[in-house]
Structures are given as C-alpha cells and as structure tokens.
Amino acid sequence: FDAAAHFYHIAQGGASGAPRMLVVPDVDEPYAPVPDGLAVPLGPNRDAIDGVLKQLPKMFCDPMENGRRGAPCSAAAVKACVEALKPIGGRVLAFIASLP
C-alpha cells in the first residue's frame, strides 16, 4: 500500500501467467477487488508468489515516482484484506513500518 491498497490476483496453479496487480484507490471505504484468487495455497503457487515478492521493492522503492504520493493507507489495506478473506476465513497479520 501507499496512497491506495494494492492486491495481486494469482490464478490457481499459476495457470493464467503472471499475477495481476489490482489497485483499490478508495481508502475511505476499502473493498476486496475480486472475490477469489487473492488468497491461494502456497505449494502450487510458490513461483508466482516469489515473483511478486521480488518485484515489490522495485515497484515501491521511490514513493514520489509515478505520482504515488500521500499518506500510507495501512488501515484501509487491512480492512480490504479482511474483506478478501471473508469467503474462506483466515488471519490478517500486518507489519507496518511507518506511522498510519
């Protein structure tokens, strides 16, 4: 997240190629952008998840790059994660390194 919440849709088993980034710009009323594909089993999707994790530092290293400005929306990101997990259940663990 930065000024918007970012999700990555991963098809089961990596069937449809690279993960797609989905952006939720509404931080006042956050929502899950798709009903499924945001929480996937680690085993068959390990390569796709590793790829996303390797890309994150490159995409978000400069907060002023590409017009990304504003305060972090950590609360909105956590709320959207909770919404995404409602159909299947689970826990949200948030480790935040900046003030909300």
Side-chain angles (χ1 to χ4, degrees):
F1 63 87
D2 51 11
H6 303 261
F7 290 88
Y8 295 88
H9 181 265
I10 299 173
Q12 287 288 338
S16 68
R20 294 181 298 142
M21 180 170 62
L22 307 166
V23 179
V24 177
D26 186 0
V27 297
D28 295 325
E29 295 184 32
Y31 57 92
V34 292
D36 60 356
L38 297 176
V40 295
L42 178 62
N45 299 292
R46 181 66 185 245
D47 291 337
I49 293 169
D50 284 344
V52 168
L53 293 175
K54 288 177 184 174
Q55 291 175 5
L56 288 177
K58 296 174 192 167
M59 295 186 327
F60 297 102
C61 65
D62 184 4
M64 297 302 195
E65 185 179 311
N66 297 325
R68 290 191 312 266
R69 294 182 175 89
C73 65
S74 55
V78 170
K79 287 179 185 177
C81 288
V82 169
E83 288 296 317
L85 287 175
K86 276 186 179 178
I88 59 171
R91 295 182 185 168
V92 175
L93 302 175
F95 300 91
I96 306 203
S98 64
L99 296 173

